Amino acid sequence: MFRLPLSPLRAVRSLSFAAVFAGLCLAAPASAQEDEEKTAAIRELVEITQVEAMADQMIGLFNEDILPMLLEANPDQSEKLRTIVREEVTATMNDMKPAVVALTASVWSRHFSTQEIRELTAFYKTPLGVKLLEKQPVIARESMQAGMQMSQQAAMTAMEHIKQRLTAESLSIPAPL
């Protein structure tokens, strides 16, 4: 029997992250009562910011997260595994889009007025806005990497200080530290 070397919790967490990200990126009318003008403004903002491409990137990131574990368990099935993961993740994300879209439009509507949405759209049409859209994925990735490195360094420094304090207080230091 094939056992997935990915814990169900991690798989759900990864897919949930992708769904939440997609939800933050996609927008459509939350209900029939939503202002049509605001809905149109949200749709234009979504189009100009290329959020569907971002959702596709999230699918790619999920694929990158799960594929190495599957390949480790099935090293001679690379192409088959790539196909299965790509098809299943894409299908799942596509099935979730309508509900995520409705939820997200509601979020956009609560946080931005129609005028603010128009102003954001106008900004993204400027040369600086276009540059921001192009650079945003790189900036986010570099910021995340730097933040992780800083967090690791802070954790190591804090652990060293904790060990010093425990020693100074004549307290036992557990082996894992």
Side-chain angles (χ1 to χ4, degrees):
M1 172 182 246
F2 173 74
R3 291 198 50 169
L4 187 64
L6 176 68
S7 76
L9 178 61
R10 185 166 181 215
V12 168
R13 187 180 64 221
S14 295
L15 191 54
S16 295
F17 174 75
V20 168
F21 181 80
L24 292 173
C25 294
L26 301 172
S31 69
Q33 292 108 4
E34 185 170 275
D35 177 57
E36 289 182 27
E37 190 176 321
K38 193 172 202 177
T39 300
I42 289 171
R43 286 182 191 271
E44 184 178 5
L45 180 61
V46 165
E47 184 177 317
I48 199 161
T49 57
Q50 303 170 7
V51 294
E52 289 195 26
M54 286 187 248
D56 290 339
Q57 286 176 348
M58 290 309 301
I59 291 171
L61 291 174
F62 181 79
N63 291 348
E64 289 175 20
D65 188 35
I66 191 172
L67 195 56
M69 291 176 277
L70 295 172
L71 288 171
E72 187 176 316
N74 303 279
D76 58 336
Q77 298 295 319
S78 176
E79 287 309 309
K80 184 183 283 188
L81 289 170
R82 288 178 199 287
T83 299
I84 290 169
V85 169
R86 182 184 60 252
E87 289 174 356
E88 294 304 321
V89 171
T90 300
T92 301
M93 292 297 291
N94 287 336
D95 288 347
M96 294 175 66
K97 279 184 182 180
V100 171
V101 165
L103 173 69
T104 304
S106 175
V107 171
W108 280 81
S109 286
R110 282 195 311 269
H111 294 283
F112 295 100
S113 69
T114 303
Q115 183 58 35
E116 289 169 329
I117 291 168
R118 286 188 185 123
E119 289 173 17
L120 283 168
T121 302
F123 167 73
Y124 284 121
K125 289 180 179 180
T126 68
L128 180 58
V130 170
K131 182 176 181 177
L132 176 61
L133 289 172
E134 291 171 358
K135 300 293 182 180
Q136 203 164 11
V138 174
I139 292 167
R141 183 177 59 248
E142 289 177 9
S143 297
M144 236 178 5
Q145 289 171 343
M148 287 177 10
Q149 289 173 348
M150 290 176 69
S151 295
Q152 289 172 347
Q153 182 61 43
M156 291 180 357
T157 301
M159 290 306 294
E160 190 56 41
H161 291 171
I162 289 169
K163 287 179 190 177
Q164 291 171 2
R165 291 276 306 273
L166 293 173
T167 301
E169 299 284 334
S170 299
L171 296 170
S172 297
I173 301 174
L177 294 182

